[in-house]
Amino acid sequence: MKNTIEQIEKNKVIVIVRGVEKEKLIPMCQAIYDGGLRLIECTYDASGKISDEEIAGNIKMLAEHFEGKMIVGAGTVLTEKQVELTKKAGGKFIISPDTNPDIIKKTKEEELVSIPGALTPSEITQANRSGADFVKIFPMDMMGVKYIKDLKAPLSHVKLLAVGGVTADNMKDYLDAGASGIGIGSGVVNKKLISENNFEEITKLARNYSKNI
């Protein structure tokens, strides 16, 4: 767990993978790796259209294929069952859209890195007191860079990740403001490029972010 925390602090950019076909995952993540990014978040499907077991299977596949090269975790984690499935699949971190003390507790019991989502100072403090290793500030695009700076003044002890609206052009602003890292989705996981198997362009998109780390 300590190593995962250190890798998140070092590599800073978590790539959010949502709704990508299974057969595209390995070549897409290889392209992301080639672009210099090392952290992958596979999200569970809150709508239930894709089963938790199928997502956990994808996590397992990526964790095994990229063992020693990339760190794979789970996103949109809303249930304790999903935490258990992620652990069994070899995932290393748990990211949620909300702050749920029960999920944080379960994550820590499973010796995984806990990254709940929050927006207000009260939610951030609750997450931290419940044992979160990082707190995901989401949605970031409605708040802006100054919000991170303002939060870090009284909450300097909390490691914050900025997620939502962070781009290759403004990521350094968020890091300079005090964010420990960022989460990105479509800025790298471009569905059109993936459908065209244009993984060279995916690598270029990833490199736009990695050069700012």
Side-chain angles (χ1 to χ4, degrees), residues 49-105:
K49 293 177 182 178
I50 303 174
S51 72
D52 290 347
E53 287 75 15
E54 185 175 344
I55 298 298
N58 291 342
I59 292 171
K60 185 174 190 293
M61 177 182 72
L62 292 175
E64 291 178 351
H65 186 87
F66 292 99
E67 184 176 4
K69 297 172 67 179
M70 301 182 85
I71 294 178
V72 182
T76 317
V77 176
L78 298 169
T79 69
E80 293 182 31
K81 174 192 171 187
Q82 290 169 339
V83 177
E84 293 173 352
L85 286 170
T86 302
K87 172 71 172 184
K88 291 176 182 176
K92 300 299 184 183
F93 57 82
I94 297 293
I95 300 181
S96 300
D98 63 339
T99 291
N100 182 332
D102 291 337
I103 297 298
I104 297 170
K105 180 182 178 183

Side-chain angles (χ1 to χ4, degrees), residues 5-6 13 20-22 28 36 38 40 52 62 69 85 95 107 137 155-156 161 164 170 179-181 195 206:
I5 292 172
E6 290 173 349
V13 181
V20 176
E21 298 171 8
K22 184 174 184 178
M28 181 198 70
R38 300 291 182 262
I40 296 291
D52 290 347
L62 292 175
K69 297 172 67 179
L85 286 170
I95 300 181
T107 299
I137 309 303
L155 300 175
S156 58
L161 301 181
N170 66 20
S180 295
S195 69

Side-chain angles (χ1 to χ4, degrees), residues 15-195:
V15 181
I16 303 163
V17 178
R18 187 188 306 274
V20 176
E21 298 171 8
K22 184 174 184 178
E23 60 270 23
K24 304 273 191 179
L25 285 173
I26 287 179
M28 181 198 70
C29 288
Q30 181 63 52
I32 291 169
Y33 177 84
D34 293 342
L37 302 181
R38 300 291 182 262
L39 306 165
I40 296 291
E41 168 194 341
C42 287
T43 65
Y44 285 98
D45 184 359
S47 73
K49 293 177 182 178
I50 303 174
S51 72
D52 290 347
E53 287 75 15
E54 185 175 344
I55 298 298
N58 291 342
I59 292 171
K60 185 174 190 293
M61 177 182 72
L62 292 175
E64 291 178 351
H65 186 87
F66 292 99
E67 184 176 4
K69 297 172 67 179
M70 301 182 85
I71 294 178
V72 182
T76 317
V77 176
L78 298 169
T79 69
E80 293 182 31
K81 174 192 171 187
Q82 290 169 339
V83 177
E84 293 173 352
L85 286 170
T86 302
K87 172 71 172 184
K88 291 176 182 176
K92 300 299 184 183
F93 57 82
I94 297 293
I95 300 181
S96 300
D98 63 339
T99 291
N100 182 332
D102 291 337
I103 297 298
I104 297 170
K105 180 182 178 183
K106 182 65 175 177
T107 299
K108 303 301 285 187
E109 287 175 353
E110 295 290 353
E111 298 184 333
L112 301 177
V113 172
S114 171
I115 311 175
L119 186 61
T120 68
S122 294
E123 293 168 345
I124 295 165
T125 302
Q126 181 190 26
N128 181 255
R129 287 174 178 165
S130 297
D133 298 294
F134 298 86
V135 180
K136 177 180 79 169
I137 309 303
F138 172 83
M140 196 70 250
D141 52 351
M142 67 181 286
M143 307 305 287
V145 173
K146 189 175 183 299
Y147 190 58
I148 290 287
K149 187 174 182 179
D150 290 344
L151 288 171
K152 288 296 288 187
L155 300 175
S156 58
H157 60 295
V158 184
K159 297 173 183 176
L160 305 179
L161 301 181
V163 181
V166 184
T167 67
D169 292 331
N170 66 20
M171 67 171 281
K172 196 168 186 307
D173 294 333
Y174 282 99
L175 296 176
D176 289 345
S180 295
I182 65 169
I184 57 170
S186 58
V188 169
V189 184
N190 183 297
K191 297 294 179 66
K192 183 175 185 295
L193 294 177
I194 294 168
S195 69

